[in-house]
Amino acid sequence: MTVLENLWFRRLLAGLSGLLAGYAALAVAELVAAAAVRPEAGPVTAVGGAAIDRTPAPVKDWAIRTFGESDKLVLQLGIVAVLAALAVVLGLVALRHRRVGAAGVLLFGVVGAVAATSRPDSDSFTDGVPSLAGALAGAALLRWLTGLLIAPARAAASASGEGWDRRGFLIAASAAAVASTGAGVVGRTLGASRARDATSSRAAVVLPRPDSLAAPVPKGAQLRVAGVSRFVTPNKDFYRVDTALVVPTVDATRWRLRIHGRGVRRPLTLTFQDLLDRELVERDITLACVSNEVGGPYVGNARWIGVRLADLLAEAGVKPPSKGGPADQLVARSVDGMTLGTPVEDVMDGRDALLAVGMNGEPLPFDHGFPVRMVVPGLYGYVSACKWIEDIELTTFDAYDPYWVKRTWAREAPIKTQSRIDTPKPFARPAAGIVMVAGVAWAQHRGIDVVEVRVDDAPWERADLATEGTIDTWRQWSFPWKATPGSHTLTVRATDRTGQTQTEKRTRTIPDGASGWHSVVVTVD
Ligand SMILES: Nc1nc2c(c(=O)[nH]1)N[C@H]1C(S)=C(S)[C@@H](COP(=O)(O)O)O[C@H]1N2
Ligand SMILES: [Mo]
């Protein structure tokens, strides 16, 4: 090997040392998190979560729009890619300045530790320990490996004139890779065993027959038009929007819900079984996300089983503001630290605000909040639908801003009347003749009274409405269109039972939900 080749080879190996140090740091950190602290304190989850907390709402909205429900995977891959690149750089730096390289790794440990302790669900400095422990391991490894690259040669190596111990380096590097992988696997396995407890607690749930059943879905609620959304959204197709990088897996047998705060005369602590033993109601309720663009997919309808939240609050001695109660905001907190604020008045005004335990005939899926979540008809999810709930605090809007409100979303957010064309799809090429235009419209807790369709600039025409489920569910509609060849724009708008027609004015989703009419352009052949 020439001197120059040798130099490049050592640089390559230095970069590799950096990568290995980063890999070891992550593996050790994840192991310490799983074994001694808690899985959420692992650096990738912590840094990712902290990044989500700090991302300005418009950027987050863009990420949801662009990557959809893969947004978190993209974020995690991004974090790993950035870490890998920085690790290579630190390896190269360490070839010259071993201390600086190691110090760089430690610095990342500090960043990870700060991120972990700053998460909303972090209540202890021990959450910083995994990142620091990992960084120490990574720094030590980097020093050691780069030391082998620049160490005075042993006899064999110096005989070859390369000035460093190639064999020693390769053995050390392989050993480090194997040890790190081992640490990572043990960490993962420990994490998996907690998840198993949660999974078996879910498998053991037998939902009692609700005391108050939902009426069967009316036959006419589901149109027989290909391409229209199903009236009941199957759980596997139900949209998911949350900030959880790792879906919380809660063991229902250990779960507790606390209800406390202003105006609570009898604070309550409930187990999952306590909830199942109470009066259960079954209701069809359509959930919608405030981040849903006009025409977007973040809306779904399910048959929920749960306890009426108003009953529990009354039992705790809570009065709504209209009856002189001191608390106007109910803050729900999840096991992962998310907070959502709901008007107490809305929860207690007679609507079916639920602490839900069942979704479409099964216990809540983990993605949708097992073991218990809130569902409040008529309010966007971020101000009502707390998944993995563990705490309810009665307070005031003046006293506390929950997670999204701190990030400039509206304090109160009733769902805006909306309608969507499900079929034909944008840029479809239907044949001339009768084309069935169909979709859904929703105005939860008010009900949909009229849906109209406009073809190009022609006058609005009434669509046929499917039978209403309830005022808390979306409603299907259809419109037999005499399609003529050429390009056409189809537009839909709905009117709710208060007589309000959707405004044409397009607004962004921030701060309180998108408004505007959904249009689809098609070309008729
Ligand atoms: N714990 C927790 N609950 C949460 C959220 C969250 O990020 N964390 N997101 C809310 C938002 S913005 C919406 S729209 C609904 C979505 O519920 P889904 O994922 O079951 O459809 O959950 C709400 N509950
Ligand atoms: Mo949402």
Side-chain angles (χ1 to χ4, degrees):
M1 224 184 243
T2 68
V3 173
L4 198 63
E5 276 167 356
N6 189 22
L7 177 67
W8 280 106
F9 189 48
R10 282 201 309 164
R11 283 198 183 144
L12 187 76
L13 293 183
L16 180 72
S17 304
L19 267 185
L20 273 173
Y23 180 53
L26 285 186
V28 168
E30 297 296 341
L31 173 61
V32 173
V37 186
R38 56 194 195 107
E40 294 79 7
V44 177
T45 307
V47 171
I52 292 176
D53 294 340
R54 283 166 187 76
T55 306
V59 178
K60 200 149 15 187
D61 213 37
W62 167 84
I64 292 178
R65 262 198 326 272
T66 312
F67 302 115
E69 298 181 14
S70 323
D71 56 344
K72 297 181 196 76
L73 182 64
V74 171
L75 173 66
Q76 276 175 310
L77 290 178
I79 291 172
V80 171
V82 169
L83 281 180
L86 290 168
V88 170
V89 170
L90 284 177
L92 290 171
V93 169
L95 193 56
R96 287 279 174 109
H97 314 282
R98 283 172 71 208
R99 289 238 173 87
V100 178
V105 177
L106 286 178
L107 190 66
F108 281 107
V110 172
V111 171
V114 170
T117 51
S118 75
R119 292 302 331 276
D121 59 335
S122 173
D123 44 18
S124 142
F125 284 108
T126 54
D127 280 347
V129 170
S131 290
L132 293 177
L136 277 175
L141 181 62
L142 185 61
R143 253 184 86 87
W144 183 43
L145 289 179
T146 47
L148 292 171
L149 284 176
I150 55 188
R154 291 213 202 108
S158 64
S160 73
E162 288 174 10
W164 59 281
D165 181 358
R166 200 194 290 192
R167 212 170 144 248
F169 174 86
L170 291 177
I171 290 172
S174 315
V178 170
S180 306
T181 303
V185 167
V186 173
R188 282 285 147 112
T189 313
L190 284 173
S193 100
R194 291 191 198 201
R196 262 199 307 279
D197 290 346
T199 307
S200 58
S201 80
R202 182 172 182 276
V205 172
V206 180
L207 291 175
R209 185 185 151 85
D211 302 275
S212 161
L213 292 170
V217 173
K219 276 221 172 53
Q222 174 68 59
L223 295 174
R224 281 175 223 257
V225 176
V228 78
S229 308
R230 289 170 66 175
F231 180 77
V232 177
T233 315
N235 288 352
K236 65 171 173 36
D237 300 334
F238 208 96
Y239 79 93
R240 175 185 162 206
V241 171
D242 55 61
T243 58
L245 270 178
V246 177
V247 174
T249 43
V250 177
D251 179 345
T253 62
R254 296 193 198 173
W255 177 87
R256 298 285 183 279
L257 173 70
R258 213 159 75 86
I259 302 181
H260 61 107
R262 286 199 206 177
V264 177
R265 276 188 282 135
R266 289 172 296 275
L268 299 175
T269 300
L270 299 151
T271 65
F272 187 65
Q273 192 59 47
D274 289 340
L275 285 187
L276 295 189
D277 291 343
R278 296 183 63 97
E279 185 183 328
L280 293 174
V281 303
E282 180 188 56
R283 297 290 182 262
D284 293 340
I285 299 168
T286 298
L287 214 63
C289 181
V290 71
S291 294
N292 196 38
E293 300 281 333
V294 172
Y298 300 135
V299 52
N301 182 47
R303 176 157 284 201
W304 309 92
I305 293 174
V307 170
R308 291 182 41 124
L309 189 49
D311 295 349
L312 275 177
L313 293 177
E315 195 171 307
V318 175
K319 287 199 189 113
S322 61
K323 298 226 169 74
D328 59 4
Q329 181 177 221
L330 177 157
V331 173
R333 180 181 293 270
S334 69
V335 300
D336 65 339
M338 170 56 67
T339 50
L340 299 85
T342 314
V344 176
E345 198 63 52
D346 290 351
V347 171
M348 300 189 81
D349 72 356
R351 72 183 80 195
D352 293 310
L354 303 182
L355 275 178
V357 294
M359 181 177 184
N360 291 332
E362 52 171 308
L364 295 179
F366 287 107
D367 280 356
H368 297 292
F370 181 83
V372 182
R373 76 174 303 168
M374 263 174 65
V375 177
V376 182
L379 306 183
Y380 282 121
Y382 84 104
V383 289
S384 66
C386 185
K387 306 194 273 190
W388 317 293
I389 193 171
E390 68 171 5
D391 190 278
I392 288 179
E393 179 173 359
L394 279 296
T395 177
T396 63
F397 281 103
D398 283 343
Y400 185 78
D401 282 341
Y403 187 94
W404 288 109
V405 177
K406 285 196 186 91
R407 291 159 177 82
T408 73
W409 294 79
R411 283 206 166 86
E412 297 201 36
I415 292 173
K416 293 182 179 174
T417 300
Q418 264 300 344
S419 50
R420 184 177 76 193
I421 299 171
D422 287 341
T423 182
K425 295 279 174 234
F427 312 115
R429 304 192 68 110
I434 298 290
V435 171
M436 267 300 183
V437 184
V440 284
W442 59 92
Q444 289 91 318
H445 213 56
R446 299 186 294 279
I448 290 289
D449 259 1
V450 176
V451 171
E452 297 163 287
V453 173
R454 189 178 66 182
V455 181
D456 303 320
D457 297 325
W460 288 97
E461 292 186 72
R462 285 210 177 195
D464 299 314
L465 284 173
T467 311
E468 179 172 75
T470 72
I471 58 168
D472 293 336
T473 60
W474 59 10
R475 189 165 184 181
Q476 301 191 351
W477 56 268
S478 64
F479 178 77
W481 168 41
K482 291 180 209 67
T484 53
S487 170
H488 296 288
T489 303
L490 303 167
T491 305
V492 66
R493 71 177 185 192
T495 302
D496 68 24
R497 202 148 297 152
T498 70
Q500 285 281 333
T501 300
Q502 269 179 259
T503 67
E504 179 173 15
K505 189 167 170 261
R506 280 257 178 170
T507 61
R508 300 194 309 162
T509 56
I510 299 173
D512 62 355
S515 68
W517 298 334
H518 186 213
S519 287
V520 164
V521 177
V522 298
T523 303
V524 179
D525 289 323

